[in-house]
Amino acid sequence: MAAGANHDEQFAVKLVCKDCRNPVPNLVEDFTSGDYVCGDCGLVLGDRIVDTRSEWRTFQDSDGPDQSRVGDGANPFLGGDQLDTVIGGGGSKGPNAPPGGRSLHRAQARTAGPTRGNQTLADAYREIAAFCDACDMPRSIVDAAKHLYLKAEADYFAQKGRRRSVLITACIFSACRQEGVPRTYKEICSLTGVSRKDVRRVFALLRSVADTRATVTSSEDLVMRFASRLGLDLATSMLVRLVVHRAKELAPVSGKNPVTIAGSCIYFVSMLVANDCAADAIAALTGISETTIRSTFRILYDNRAAILTPDLLARNPLAAERNLRI
C-alpha cells in the first residue's frame, strides 16, 4: 500500500514557485489577467489559464439584444425546476430575423402550463413586496410572507372565488408576528383594503399548512412606535413603556387588547407630563375608539397610586399627578 502511494507521488504534477521553493505553494488564480501568481513573491508561474467559473458577464451594447448565455439564478419562491426554454417574440426584423419567431412564441405561451403558474406567483410576490415597501418593512418580512404564500396558495385557491389580496394580507400579518415586527390589524388591512374578518379566516389555514409559530404582539412592542408617530420625545416614550408594564399587572387591565393598553397608556402619560395628546389622534393612529381609550384611562386613573410611584415620577421632571384629570 505504501509502495502504491509513493508511485502516485512520483508521477503527480506539482507546481512550485522557483523563487520561494515552498513545498506548500501559495498560488493565486488571477482570472482577470489569466495568470497563475505566487501569493508570496508575486512571480507569474503560468499564463492563459481558462476561467472555469460561471459566465455572468455579457459584452454587448446597451441598445442591442441580450447576448447573455446564462440565465438568472433559481428563485426559491417559485415552483418547478425553472429550467424552461423561453422562445423570443421575434421582434427583430430584416434578413437575419428568425423565421416564424412570433408564431413559435405564441404557441409556447399557450402551452406553457408551469410557466403560467410561476407567473401568477411572481405577480403575487410583486404585490407583497410593494405592500411591505409602503410600510418600510425589512427584507426578512418580505421573504417570510412569500414563503407563507407559496405554502398556502394551493389549498387557499382550491375553493373558487377566493381573493388573492386576502391571502397576501394574512401572509404579511403572519410574517410580521413571526419575525417579531409588530403591526396591528388596522395598519395591514388599511394598506391592502381587506377587512379584518376576512384575514382572520385565513389564519387557521396558514397555521395548518405552513406550521407558523406566531409570537403574541405585546403592548411594549407597539407603544414605542405609536409614541414616535405621535411626536412624543424619547423621555416620554420610555415613561409610557414603564407605565404599560405596570398597567398590565392590574387585574382590570391585564386581559385587554394590547393595542388598547398601549393607546390608553399613551393618553395617560401625555396628560401626566402636560403634553395633552388628543384622544382622537391616538384613536386614529391605533384604530380603537375614543370611548375605549377613555374608559381604560379611567381604570388607570383609579389605580394611579399603584402606577405613579416616586421613582417613576422622578424619571421625568414634567410628570405630576395633579396634571391628570377625568
Side-chain angles (χ1 to χ4, degrees):
M1 193 69 179
N6 294 332
H7 182 271
D8 293 339
E9 291 180 359
Q10 291 176 0
F11 289 94
V13 178
K14 191 173 183 180
L15 185 62
V16 179
C17 178
K18 62 182 180 181
D19 289 348
C20 299
R21 297 291 181 180
N22 190 348
V24 185
N26 179 20
L27 301 181
V28 179
E29 295 178 336
D30 187 2
F31 291 111
T32 304
S33 59
D35 296 333
Y36 271 121
V37 182
C38 176
D40 297 328
C41 66
L43 180 67
V44 178
L45 305 178
D47 57 359
R48 295 182 178 274
I49 62 175
V50 178
D51 189 353
T52 58
R53 299 173 300 177
S54 301
E55 181 187 0
W56 297 112
R57 299 178 62 194
T58 58
F59 303 91
Q60 62 181 9
D61 296 331
S62 58
D63 298 333
D66 187 6
Q67 301 295 331
S68 175
R69 294 192 290 274
V70 295
D72 295 332
N75 190 336
F77 300 113
L78 297 179
D81 296 330
Q82 302 178 37
L83 300 175
D84 304 324
T85 299
V86 179
I87 300 175
S92 58
K93 298 181 180 179
N96 296 326
R102 290 183 180 275
S103 59
L104 289 174
H105 175 71
R106 287 194 295 267
Q108 187 196 35
R110 287 193 297 267
T111 59
T115 304
R116 188 177 303 166
N118 283 342
Q119 183 61 43
T120 303
L121 284 174
D123 293 341
Y125 295 158
R126 276 193 293 270
E127 290 187 41
I128 290 174
F131 288 140
C132 292
D133 289 342
C135 280
D136 296 327
M137 295 182 185
R139 182 69 185 178
S140 59
I141 300 297
V142 180
D143 292 341
K146 289 179 180 179
H147 181 70
L148 291 173
Y149 187 93
L150 178 63
K151 285 193 171 186
E153 59 102 14
D155 291 328
Y156 178 76
F157 290 111
Q159 297 182 11
K160 292 185 178 181
R162 289 187 166 183
R163 293 182 298 162
R164 183 171 67 186
S165 58
V166 178
L167 180 58
I168 288 176
T169 306
C171 290
I172 293 175
F173 190 83
S174 296
C176 289
R177 287 192 169 185
Q178 246 181 306
E179 298 298 321
V181 180
R183 291 294 186 274
T184 63
Y185 274 109
K186 178 181 180 294
E187 290 177 293
I188 303 299
C189 293
S190 62
L191 182 69
T192 59
V194 177
S195 67
R196 182 186 305 183
K197 183 178 180 181
D198 292 337
V199 174
R200 284 180 170 174
R201 290 174 180 170
V202 187
F203 280 154
L205 174 65
L206 290 178
R207 284 194 293 268
S208 61
V209 174
D211 190 23
T212 58
R213 296 177 175 84
T215 58
V216 179
T217 302
S218 65
S219 304
E220 289 88 343
D221 296 331
L222 297 171
V223 73
M224 296 300 291
R225 189 160 48 86
F226 287 163
S228 176
R229 294 181 63 179
L230 288 168
L232 302 181
D233 56 78
L234 181 60
T236 305
S237 301
M238 297 303 296
L239 191 63
V240 174
R241 189 181 179 91
L242 183 57
V243 170
V244 166
H245 180 70
R246 296 189 178 184
K248 290 171 64 176
E249 298 176 354
L250 301 175
V253 180
S254 60
K256 290 186 176 294
N257 190 319
V259 183
T260 302
I261 298 175
S264 303
C265 288
I266 290 175
Y267 186 60
F268 181 86
V269 173
S270 65
M271 189 180 298
L272 181 69
V273 298
N275 190 304
D276 290 337
C277 185
D280 57 349
I282 299 174
L285 175 64
T286 59
I288 56 179
S289 64
E290 287 188 55
T291 306
T292 304
I293 293 177
R294 295 183 185 279
S295 62
T296 309
F297 169 80
R298 182 58 185 263
I299 298 175
L300 298 177
Y301 180 82
D302 293 340
N303 293 271
R304 62 188 182 279
I307 298 175
L308 301 178
T309 56
D311 62 310
L312 185 143
L313 294 174
R315 290 176 177 267
N316 193 319
L318 300 177
E321 186 178 344
R322 63 179 180 274
N323 295 331
L324 297 175
R325 59 186 183 276
I326 298 297

